Amino acid sequence: MKLISFACLLLLSIQASSHKVLTMVYTTGMTVEGQIAFSDGSFAPKDTSVQVFKNEERVGEVAVDDFGRFVYQAVTPSDYRFHVDMGAGHIANMQVAAEDFSAYTEVSGADNLSESAVESSVYTSATLEAVVAKQIRPLREEIFALKEKRYWMDILGGIGFILGVFGVAAWVQSRKYAKPTS
């Protein structure tokens, strides 16, 4: 009876963790991009609303696409919070700090440069950041997809560990009640 109860609890815990909300958010210049998915590999439903807060004041709202992605164009570098509520307890909050808007930070020694040189260096920095972001986006998405994926070997290893612990406990228990042979 205890084994059946244990198996039922194990199955319930697997079901409960299969819908954990996973989030990813990053900046490219003044553009904030993010993705929302579940740990079972499915994405947030299309047109799910993501509320945008700047210093705890709501400043906008964006919707996710078919792949759980959203894009928000920030106006000024600041601390932003992205909140999504997909119902049934599936709530996520993502943070972006003002420092993450790196392409728009001041250039050191800008007082000694002409205005066109400063504009050129910021443009070059922003262009370089956009190119790098475009190249690493597939890597970020792959890591995001693998973050909570469970493999059969992981599951079988966990079951084997549990059976091993019970085996050691049974062996210790049997030694306790074993009669000495002398």
Side-chain angles (χ1 to χ4, degrees):
M1 183 65 180
K2 289 181 183 180
L3 184 60
I4 293 172
S5 299
F6 176 73
C8 290
L9 287 174
L10 181 65
L11 289 174
L12 287 174
S13 68
I14 290 171
Q15 178 65 24
S17 67
S18 68
H19 282 85
K20 180 178 174 187
V21 178
L22 303 175
T23 61
M24 173 179 65
V25 66
Y26 56 94
T27 62
T28 305
M30 291 300 293
T31 303
V32 180
E33 297 181 55
Q35 190 171 25
I36 305 164
F38 296 105
S39 60
D40 66 357
S42 63
F43 297 109
K46 184 178 180 178
D47 296 328
T48 297
S49 174
V50 179
Q51 298 175 1
V52 184
F53 294 88
K54 177 180 170 183
N55 301 324
E56 296 307 316
E57 179 184 331
R58 187 173 170 193
V59 293
E61 186 174 319
V62 293
V64 300
D65 65 8
D66 292 329
F67 300 103
R69 293 187 202 123
F70 66 90
V71 177
Y72 177 74
Q73 188 63 43
V75 179
T76 58
S78 185
D79 293 339
Y80 287 90
R81 180 173 62 92
F82 297 86
H83 175 82
V84 62
D85 184 353
M86 295 176 284
H90 299 115
I91 298 173
N93 285 297
M94 297 153 278
Q95 304 287 332
V96 175
E99 302 86 44
D100 293 339
F101 297 100
S102 61
Y104 291 87
T105 56
E106 290 184 32
V107 177
S108 61
D111 296 337
N112 300 332
L113 298 173
S114 68
E115 186 174 314
S116 63
V118 171
E119 289 174 3
S120 174
S121 67
V122 170
Y123 176 76
T124 304
S125 174
T127 303
L128 181 61
E129 185 175 349
V131 168
V132 170
K134 183 179 179 181
Q135 294 298 317
I136 66 170
R137 177 179 289 147
L139 296 173
R140 286 182 190 232
E141 290 177 356
E142 188 174 335
I143 291 170
F144 182 67
L146 292 173
K147 194 174 186 180
E148 290 290 324
K149 190 172 184 178
R150 288 176 184 81
Y151 295 99
W152 279 108
M153 294 303 292
D154 298 333
I155 294 169
L156 292 175
I159 292 170
F161 178 78
I162 292 168
L163 292 175
V165 168
F166 279 116
V168 169
W171 177 74
V172 168
Q173 192 71 13
S174 71
R175 299 273 302 162
K176 196 185 275 188
Y177 294 112
K179 295 182 182 180
T181 56
S182 48

